[in-house]
Amino acid sequence: MRIFPINKPLILITMGDPSGIGPEVIMKSMASPGIEGLAIFVLLADKESIERYSAVFKGKIVYYNAEKGIENIDLNEKALNVIDPTVTKTTFVPGKSTPEGARKSLDCIDFAISLAKKAEGSDKVAIVTGPVSKEAVSKVSPGFIGHTEYLQEAFGAKLVSMVLTGEKLNVIPVTRHIPLRDVPNKLTEDLIYRTIEQIIEYRKEISGKPDAKIGVAALNPHSGENGRIGREEGEIIKPAIERAKALYKNVEGPISADVIFYQALKGKFDIVISMYHDQCLAPFKMIDFDTGVNMTVGLGCVRTSPDHGTAFDIAGKGIASPESMIRAIKLAVRAIK
């Protein structure tokens, strides 16, 4: 299989759960005028699930069966290349989550990872992941808690950051999918510093600005009020920020979480780093729910994803918005050009 396109980026797109809105929003995205010609697109997906929505795409679609071998597959630069990684006799019904669908979504992720690794060393390859059901996947793959952690382990990355980027806000949580009660014990000066350091490195890809202003949120209300209602700000967050300023001066904090996102919305900060998942995801989704994109940095391979779930309740109805997926694809292309 030809892995290295000569003139265009190679974008590997996983369909997500076949019974969710992933196949629909992907095909709608492929039909978008703003997507055509940006890259060579390879969709890892169940053939039947893609054919269900193929009418919205007026271009050429070339289907491949990976189980027959991929050695002789020559990607078509002027078509949507669809590779079905595993043969299954299951018909996936929109809106109905099944163990088979969860397994299929994981097979697609694994195949995209294997292709990306074969292209290792190329700066022209990115993965765009469609939404999966974490609950369903965890039942067929115990220990699965999300794309970010799964990809981190697959690529052997020491530290990755989950970046949520939208039209108005760009946010990063230092800790991600852990219980809230575990956050204070998980936070350390070194983890906070290394996260800030990583975001400094990727600031242009995240915000589009080489001189991006980075704000760091406090953990406790009112930034701990000098230790009266929490000592983390003085003991670990502020020291991490001071270390980061030696690398890059446009870092400020800790700033109380009840004001920092408003400040970012008004333009004071281009990027906000928060201490835990919902601290930044709640304001982000309130502002950028329909246009938000999830980007993982630190893998050694660009990965983006729409910031929405499988939406089983509307799957198959033809009403799912492709906006977040379109932005995820465009961001992946922009980040590797």
Side-chain angles (χ1 to χ4, degrees), residues 197-247:
E197 180 185 39
Q198 191 166 71
I199 299 311
I200 290 171
E201 179 183 355
Y202 288 95
R203 64 191 183 275
K204 186 176 180 181
E205 287 84 351
I206 295 168
S207 69
K209 300 179 181 180
D211 59 346
K213 294 169 287 186
I214 301 172
V216 182
L219 172 65
N220 297 296
H222 304 169
S223 292
E225 290 190 357
N226 294 319
R228 288 184 62 251
I229 51 176
R231 297 193 299 270
E232 286 83 2
E233 285 70 25
E235 293 180 356
I236 60 173
I237 302 176
K238 189 172 181 60
I241 294 170
E242 293 304 313
R243 287 170 61 189
K245 283 184 176 180
L247 297 174

Side-chain angles (χ1 to χ4, degrees), residues 119-189:
E120 192 173 358
S122 170
D123 58 356
K124 294 291 186 180
V125 182
I127 298 174
V128 179
T129 56
V132 302
S133 167
K134 295 176 185 177
E135 179 182 3
V137 175
S138 68
K139 291 178 180 178
V140 300
S141 179
F144 182 91
I145 58 175
H147 275 107
T148 303
E149 293 78 11
Y150 192 79
L151 291 167
Q152 179 178 7
E153 182 176 353
F155 282 99
K158 293 183 178 180
L159 177 72
V160 299
S161 293
M162 184 175 77
V163 178
L164 285 304
T165 176
E167 291 183 347
K168 297 182 179 180
L169 292 176
N170 300 300
V171 302
I172 300 94
V174 174
T175 62
R176 296 185 295 269
H177 304 121
I178 62 173
L180 186 58
R181 66 175 177 268
D182 295 340
V183 169
N185 291 331
K186 178 71 173 177
L187 288 173
T188 65
E189 178 186 332

Side-chain angles (χ1 to χ4, degrees), residues 24 28 313-322:
E24 178 184 343
K28 285 181 176 179
D313 58 323
I314 64 170
K317 297 181 180 179
I319 60 174
S321 170

Side-chain angles (χ1 to χ4, degrees), residues 5 31 34 55 61 103 130 133 168 172 210 225 239 249 255 301 309 329-330 337:
I61 304 176
R103 169 50 62 187
S133 167
K168 297 182 179 180
I172 300 94
E225 290 190 357
K249 65 180 181 179
I255 300 167
C301 172
I329 293 169
K330 288 182 175 180
K337 272 192 171 182

Side-chain angles (χ1 to χ4, degrees), residues 11-332:
I11 305 298
L12 308 171
I13 306 175
T14 64
M15 70 168 173
D17 194 296
S19 296
I21 63 172
E24 178 184 343
V25 297
I26 289 169
M27 294 309 292
K28 285 181 176 179
S29 298
M30 290 295 100
S32 171
I35 296 297
E36 184 180 0
L38 285 181
I40 297 174
F41 294 105
V42 178
L43 175 54
L44 293 315
D46 170 62
K47 180 182 178 182
E48 186 178 351
S49 297
I50 294 304
E51 288 179 330
R52 183 178 291 118
Y53 302 100
S54 61
V56 302
F57 182 69
K58 304 304 180 183
K60 182 178 181 181
I61 304 176
V62 180
Y63 293 97
Y64 305 98
N65 181 350
E67 290 196 347
K68 294 181 179 179
I70 63 171
E71 294 78 9
N72 298 318
I73 292 178
D74 190 21
L75 299 181
N76 190 318
E77 296 190 21
K78 297 182 179 180
L80 173 59
N81 302 273
V82 180
I83 301 178
D84 195 331
T86 54
V87 174
T88 176
K89 296 180 180 179
T90 302
T91 295
F92 300 109
V93 179
K96 295 184 178 181
S97 177
T98 64
E100 294 80 10
R103 169 50 62 187
K104 190 74 174 188
S105 65
L106 195 59
D107 288 341
C108 292
I109 298 169
D110 288 339
F111 202 84
I113 292 169
S114 68
L115 292 184
K117 285 183 175 180
K118 287 182 180 180
E120 192 173 358
S122 170
D123 58 356
K124 294 291 186 180
V125 182
I127 298 174
V128 179
T129 56
V132 302
S133 167
K134 295 176 185 177
E135 179 182 3
V137 175
S138 68
K139 291 178 180 178
V140 300
S141 179
F144 182 91
I145 58 175
H147 275 107
T148 303
E149 293 78 11
Y150 192 79
L151 291 167
Q152 179 178 7
E153 182 176 353
F155 282 99
K158 293 183 178 180
L159 177 72
V160 299
S161 293
M162 184 175 77
V163 178
L164 285 304
T165 176
E167 291 183 347
K168 297 182 179 180
L169 292 176
N170 300 300
V171 302
I172 300 94
V174 174
T175 62
R176 296 185 295 269
H177 304 121
I178 62 173
L180 186 58
R181 66 175 177 268
D182 295 340
V183 169
N185 291 331
K186 178 71 173 177
L187 288 173
T188 65
E189 178 186 332
D190 188 58
L191 176 61
I192 297 168
Y193 167 74
R194 289 188 296 122
T195 301
I196 299 172
E197 180 185 39
Q198 191 166 71
I199 299 311
I200 290 171
E201 179 183 355
Y202 288 95
R203 64 191 183 275
K204 186 176 180 181
E205 287 84 351
I206 295 168
S207 69
K209 300 179 181 180
D211 59 346
K213 294 169 287 186
I214 301 172
V216 182
L219 172 65
N220 297 296
H222 304 169
S223 292
E225 290 190 357
N226 294 319
R228 288 184 62 251
I229 51 176
R231 297 193 299 270
E232 286 83 2
E233 285 70 25
E235 293 180 356
I236 60 173
I237 302 176
K238 189 172 181 60
I241 294 170
E242 293 304 313
R243 287 170 61 189
K245 283 184 176 180
L247 297 174
Y248 182 70
K249 65 180 181 179
N250 287 347
V251 183
E252 185 177 336
I255 300 167
S256 181
D258 63 359
V259 297
I260 192 170
F261 298 101
Y262 175 79
Q263 292 175 335
L265 195 61
K266 293 300 181 180
K268 183 174 181 179
F269 299 112
D270 302 299
I271 299 170
V272 175
I273 298 174
S274 75
M275 295 299 109
Y276 59 92
H277 185 278
D278 283 13
Q279 188 182 44
C280 65
L281 267 291
F284 179 83
K285 289 192 174 184
M286 182 176 68
I287 300 297
D288 281 315
F289 187 87
D290 291 326
T291 59
V293 174
N294 186 335
M295 178 167 65
T296 306
V297 299
L299 289 172
C301 172
V302 172
R303 177 259 172 167
T304 66
S305 175
D307 186 36
H308 59 66
T310 53
F312 290 125
D313 58 323
I314 64 170
K317 297 181 180 179
I319 60 174
S321 170
E323 285 305 310
S324 186
M325 177 60 78
I326 291 171
R327 285 178 58 85
I329 293 169
K330 288 182 175 180
L331 178 59

